[in-house]
PDB file of all heavy atoms in Angstrom:
ATOM      1  N   VAL B 248       1.164  -7.598  -0.819  1.00 98.00           N
ATOM      2  CA  VAL B 248       0.184  -8.544  -0.281  1.00 98.00           C
ATOM      3  C   VAL B 248      -0.003  -8.298   1.212  1.00 98.00           C
ATOM      4  O   VAL B 248      -1.133  -8.163   1.696  1.00 98.00           O
ATOM      5  CB  VAL B 248       0.610 -10.000  -0.562  1.00 98.00           C
ATOM      6  CG1 VAL B 248      -0.253 -10.984   0.216  1.00 98.00           C
ATOM      7  CG2 VAL B 248       0.534 -10.282  -2.063  1.00 98.00           C
ATOM      8  N   ASN B 249       1.080  -8.220   1.971  1.00 97.00           N
ATOM      9  CA  ASN B 249       0.955  -8.047   3.422  1.00 97.00           C
ATOM     10  C   ASN B 249       0.296  -6.717   3.788  1.00 97.00           C
ATOM     11  O   ASN B 249      -0.458  -6.642   4.749  1.00 97.00           O
ATOM     12  CB  ASN B 249       2.322  -8.159   4.095  1.00 97.00           C
ATOM     13  CG  ASN B 249       2.772  -9.601   4.228  1.00 97.00           C
ATOM     14  OD1 ASN B 249       2.017 -10.537   3.933  1.00 97.00           O
ATOM     15  ND2 ASN B 249       3.998  -9.815   4.663  1.00 97.00           N
ATOM     16  N   LEU B 250       0.557  -5.698   3.011  1.00 98.00           N
ATOM     17  CA  LEU B 250      -0.016  -4.394   3.322  1.00 98.00           C
ATOM     18  C   LEU B 250      -1.467  -4.281   2.853  1.00 98.00           C
ATOM     19  O   LEU B 250      -2.331  -3.831   3.597  1.00 98.00           O
ATOM     20  CB  LEU B 250       0.817  -3.277   2.670  1.00 98.00           C
ATOM     21  CG  LEU B 250       0.322  -1.857   2.955  1.00 98.00           C
ATOM     22  CD1 LEU B 250       0.456  -1.514   4.429  1.00 98.00           C
ATOM     23  CD2 LEU B 250       1.079  -0.843   2.101  1.00 98.00           C
ATOM     24  N   LEU B 251      -1.746  -4.686   1.624  1.00 98.00           N
ATOM     25  CA  LEU B 251      -3.048  -4.377   1.011  1.00 98.00           C
ATOM     26  C   LEU B 251      -3.961  -5.577   0.811  1.00 98.00           C
ATOM     27  O   LEU B 251      -5.173  -5.410   0.691  1.00 98.00           O
ATOM     28  CB  LEU B 251      -2.837  -3.693  -0.347  1.00 98.00           C
ATOM     29  CG  LEU B 251      -2.163  -2.316  -0.311  1.00 98.00           C
ATOM     30  CD1 LEU B 251      -1.862  -1.837  -1.720  1.00 98.00           C
ATOM     31  CD2 LEU B 251      -3.046  -1.308   0.414  1.00 98.00           C
ATOM     32  N   GLN B 252      -3.410  -6.784   0.716  1.00 98.00           N
ATOM     33  CA  GLN B 252      -4.229  -7.958   0.424  1.00 98.00           C
ATOM     34  C   GLN B 252      -5.219  -7.671  -0.704  1.00 98.00           C
ATOM     35  O   GLN B 252      -6.443  -7.878  -0.551  1.00 98.00           O
ATOM     36  CB  GLN B 252      -4.988  -8.429   1.684  1.00 98.00           C
ATOM     37  CG  GLN B 252      -4.093  -8.756   2.866  1.00 98.00           C
ATOM     38  CD  GLN B 252      -3.343 -10.070   2.728  1.00 98.00           C
ATOM     39  OE1 GLN B 252      -3.676 -10.910   1.887  1.00 98.00           O
ATOM     40  NE2 GLN B 252      -2.317 -10.268   3.542  1.00 98.00           N
ATOM     41  N   PRO B 253      -4.725  -7.196  -1.848  1.00 98.00           N
ATOM     42  CA  PRO B 253      -5.651  -6.982  -2.965  1.00 98.00           C
ATOM     43  C   PRO B 253      -6.192  -8.320  -3.462  1.00 98.00           C
ATOM     44  O   PRO B 253      -5.597  -9.367  -3.199  1.00 98.00           O
ATOM     45  CB  PRO B 253      -4.771  -6.317  -4.026  1.00 98.00           C
ATOM     46  CG  PRO B 253      -3.393  -6.820  -3.752  1.00 98.00           C
ATOM     47  CD  PRO B 253      -3.326  -6.977  -2.250  1.00 98.00           C
ATOM     48  N   GLU B 254      -7.298  -8.280  -4.183  1.00 98.00           N
ATOM     49  CA  GLU B 254      -7.804  -9.533  -4.759  1.00 98.00           C
ATOM     50  C   GLU B 254      -6.811 -10.085  -5.778  1.00 98.00           C
ATOM     51  O   GLU B 254      -6.626 -11.294  -5.885  1.00 98.00           O
ATOM     52  CB  GLU B 254      -9.149  -9.281  -5.434  1.00 98.00           C
ATOM     53  CG  GLU B 254     -10.255  -8.984  -4.450  1.00 98.00           C
ATOM     54  CD  GLU B 254     -11.502  -8.491  -5.160  1.00 98.00           C
ATOM     55  OE1 GLU B 254     -11.494  -7.345  -5.654  1.00 98.00           O
ATOM     56  OE2 GLU B 254     -12.481  -9.252  -5.216  1.00 98.00           O
ATOM     57  N   ALA B 255      -6.192  -9.181  -6.532  1.00 98.00           N
ATOM     58  CA  ALA B 255      -5.236  -9.632  -7.546  1.00 98.00           C
ATOM     59  C   ALA B 255      -4.109  -8.632  -7.736  1.00 98.00           C
ATOM     60  O   ALA B 255      -4.300  -7.430  -7.584  1.00 98.00           O
ATOM     61  CB  ALA B 255      -5.947  -9.851  -8.883  1.00 98.00           C
ATOM     62  N   ILE B 256      -2.932  -9.185  -8.036  1.00 98.00           N
ATOM     63  CA  ILE B 256      -1.821  -8.386  -8.563  1.00 98.00           C
ATOM     64  C   ILE B 256      -1.680  -8.799 -10.019  1.00 98.00           C
ATOM     65  O   ILE B 256      -1.545  -9.984 -10.325  1.00 98.00           O
ATOM     66  CB  ILE B 256      -0.508  -8.656  -7.800  1.00 98.00           C
ATOM     67  CG1 ILE B 256      -0.617  -8.183  -6.344  1.00 98.00           C
ATOM     68  CG2 ILE B 256       0.665  -7.967  -8.499  1.00 98.00           C
ATOM     69  CD1 ILE B 256       0.612  -8.522  -5.491  1.00 98.00           C
ATOM     70  N   ILE B 257      -1.772  -7.822 -10.916  1.00 98.00           N
ATOM     71  CA  ILE B 257      -1.658  -8.082 -12.354  1.00 98.00           C
ATOM     72  C   ILE B 257      -0.267  -7.627 -12.802  1.00 98.00           C
ATOM     73  O   ILE B 257       0.121  -6.491 -12.545  1.00 98.00           O
ATOM     74  CB  ILE B 257      -2.735  -7.301 -13.134  1.00 98.00           C
ATOM     75  CG1 ILE B 257      -4.141  -7.576 -12.582  1.00 98.00           C
ATOM     76  CG2 ILE B 257      -2.643  -7.610 -14.633  1.00 98.00           C
ATOM     77  CD1 ILE B 257      -4.611  -8.988 -12.711  1.00 98.00           C
ATOM     78  N   ILE B 258       0.463  -8.528 -13.463  1.00 98.00           N
ATOM     79  CA  ILE B 258       1.831  -8.201 -13.892  1.00 98.00           C
ATOM     80  C   ILE B 258       1.847  -7.970 -15.399  1.00 98.00           C
ATOM     81  O   ILE B 258       1.500  -8.871 -16.175  1.00 98.00           O
ATOM     82  CB  ILE B 258       2.809  -9.350 -13.567  1.00 98.00           C
ATOM     83  CG1 ILE B 258       2.618  -9.866 -12.144  1.00 98.00           C
ATOM     84  CG2 ILE B 258       4.254  -8.918 -13.832  1.00 98.00           C
ATOM     85  CD1 ILE B 258       3.310  -9.109 -11.084  1.00 98.00           C
ATOM     86  N   GLY B 259       2.259  -6.786 -15.812  1.00 96.00           N
ATOM     87  CA  GLY B 259       2.391  -6.476 -17.231  1.00 96.00           C
ATOM     88  C   GLY B 259       3.809  -6.050 -17.572  1.00 96.00           C
ATOM     89  O   GLY B 259       4.719  -6.163 -16.756  1.00 96.00           O
ATOM     90  N   GLY B 260       3.979  -5.575 -18.791  1.00 94.00           N
ATOM     91  CA  GLY B 260       5.304  -5.152 -19.253  1.00 94.00           C
ATOM     92  C   GLY B 260       6.045  -6.306 -19.903  1.00 94.00           C
ATOM     93  O   GLY B 260       5.633  -7.466 -19.814  1.00 94.00           O
ATOM     94  N   GLY B 261       7.150  -5.974 -20.569  1.00 92.00           N
ATOM     95  CA  GLY B 261       7.896  -6.941 -21.379  1.00 92.00           C
ATOM     96  C   GLY B 261       8.237  -8.234 -20.658  1.00 92.00           C
ATOM     97  O   GLY B 261       8.037  -9.338 -21.198  1.00 92.00           O
ATOM     98  N   ILE B 262       8.709  -8.138 -19.416  1.00 96.00           N
ATOM     99  CA  ILE B 262       9.153  -9.326 -18.679  1.00 96.00           C
ATOM    100  C   ILE B 262       7.985 -10.285 -18.420  1.00 96.00           C
ATOM    101  O   ILE B 262       8.173 -11.496 -18.294  1.00 96.00           O
ATOM    102  CB  ILE B 262       9.804  -8.934 -17.327  1.00 96.00           C
ATOM    103  CG1 ILE B 262      10.863  -7.842 -17.534  1.00 96.00           C
ATOM    104  CG2 ILE B 262      10.408 -10.134 -16.639  1.00 96.00           C
ATOM    105  CD1 ILE B 262      12.068  -8.253 -18.299  1.00 96.00           C
TER     106      ILE B 262
END
Side-chain angles (χ1 to χ4, degrees):
Chain B
V248 169
N249 282 353
L250 181 65
L251 295 173
Q252 303 285 344
E254 290 169 288
I256 294 175
I257 307 296
I258 314 276
I262 310 293

